[in-house]
Amino acid sequence: MVWDVLNVIGTLAFCISGALVAMEVKYDIMGIYILGLITAFGGGAVRNLMIGLPVADVWQQTPLFIIALVAMTLFILLPKSFIFHMKEWSIFDAIGLSAFAVQGAMAAQSMDMPLLAVMFAASITGAGGGIIRDVLAQKRPSVFTKEVYLLWAIVAGFIIGMDWITSDIGLYLVFAGILALRLLSQRCNWNLPVRELGGPESN
């Protein structure tokens, strides 16, 4: 049940996130749908490839594809003024990251993967779709440049990979905790250190 709930939550959040980015860079209607679907399903496809699950399993999620298409269609039909204000709501990315980070960790843990693999599965499931989205939108991936993002997915993978969570309620709490941390890092403008490559005079 947790797996299915997080799947729906993450898919809805990320397909809207992808649609918003597509609108922001002025893609046409097909671009909006494609970018939304890639954001929602891209991370899971890469995860499957990296941990040995069939990549084709992504196509066995017909109900989720329908949910994503319906959600994007309704979103596109919203008044432009409403959509304009929503583009500042990074909460969609935060929700998608949190839901898919937990789900990705669950997938790797169910295969008795080592801790590092669970952490990787959490991070790539939570952030992979967003990375692909930004690249296709010709933007610098926000995962690597904007506040603390990927770290929270790794934290979720660590908690689950250490077997500290043994109940469904615990998994939901991890989801809520990662979501809260991501939103807090946005609000407080927390950033990881940056090391830039300067000129010969730079230290």
Side-chain angles (χ1 to χ4, degrees):
M1 175 62 84
V2 178
W3 175 274
D4 292 331
V5 170
L6 293 179
N7 228 352
V8 172
I9 291 174
T11 298
L12 284 171
F14 268 157
C15 74
I16 298 301
S17 170
L20 277 170
V21 171
M23 292 178 184
E24 184 180 3
V25 297
K26 299 181 180 179
Y27 281 179
D28 64 17
I29 192 75
M30 185 59 67
I32 293 173
Y33 280 110
I34 295 300
L35 215 58
L37 291 174
I38 285 176
T39 308
F41 297 97
V46 176
R47 175 202 64 213
N48 286 6
L49 178 66
M50 297 301 293
I51 67 174
L53 290 171
V55 178
D57 282 356
V58 172
W59 301 109
Q60 308 304 318
Q61 305 178 91
T62 301
L64 284 178
F65 277 100
I66 294 174
I67 288 172
L69 291 170
V70 170
M72 285 187 290
T73 300
L74 294 175
F75 182 74
I76 291 169
L77 294 175
L78 289 173
K80 288 184 178 180
S81 58
F82 188 76
I83 295 176
F84 177 80
H85 290 295
M86 288 181 72
K87 76 174 185 178
E88 302 299 333
W89 297 358
S90 300
I91 190 171
F92 292 112
D93 254 3
I95 294 172
L97 170 78
S98 307
F100 279 155
V102 173
Q103 191 212 44
M106 290 171 62
Q109 189 190 43
S110 69
M111 299 173 64
D112 293 323
M113 290 276 187
L115 176 61
L116 186 61
V118 176
M119 293 167 63
F120 175 82
S123 61
I124 199 63
T125 311
I131 294 172
I132 300 171
R133 174 202 65 203
D134 289 347
V135 170
L136 292 178
Q138 299 181 355
K139 298 174 61 177
R140 294 174 65 193
S142 57
V143 170
F144 305 128
T145 60
K146 205 172 182 182
E147 295 119 11
V148 182
Y149 192 104
L150 193 61
L151 177 63
W152 300 133
I154 295 173
V155 169
F158 180 79
I159 292 172
I160 294 172
M162 290 294 290
D163 288 324
W164 291 345
I165 304 300
T166 58
S167 67
D168 290 353
I169 293 177
L171 291 169
Y172 285 125
L173 288 175
V174 173
F175 162 69
I178 297 302
L179 176 58
L181 288 169
R182 170 59 185 148
L183 293 175
L184 184 62
S185 66
Q186 284 180 305
R187 185 171 183 81
C188 298
N189 198 29
W190 293 346
N191 291 282
L192 295 175
V194 174
R195 181 61 171 172
E196 297 182 3
L197 183 62
E201 301 83 8
S202 303
N203 295 323

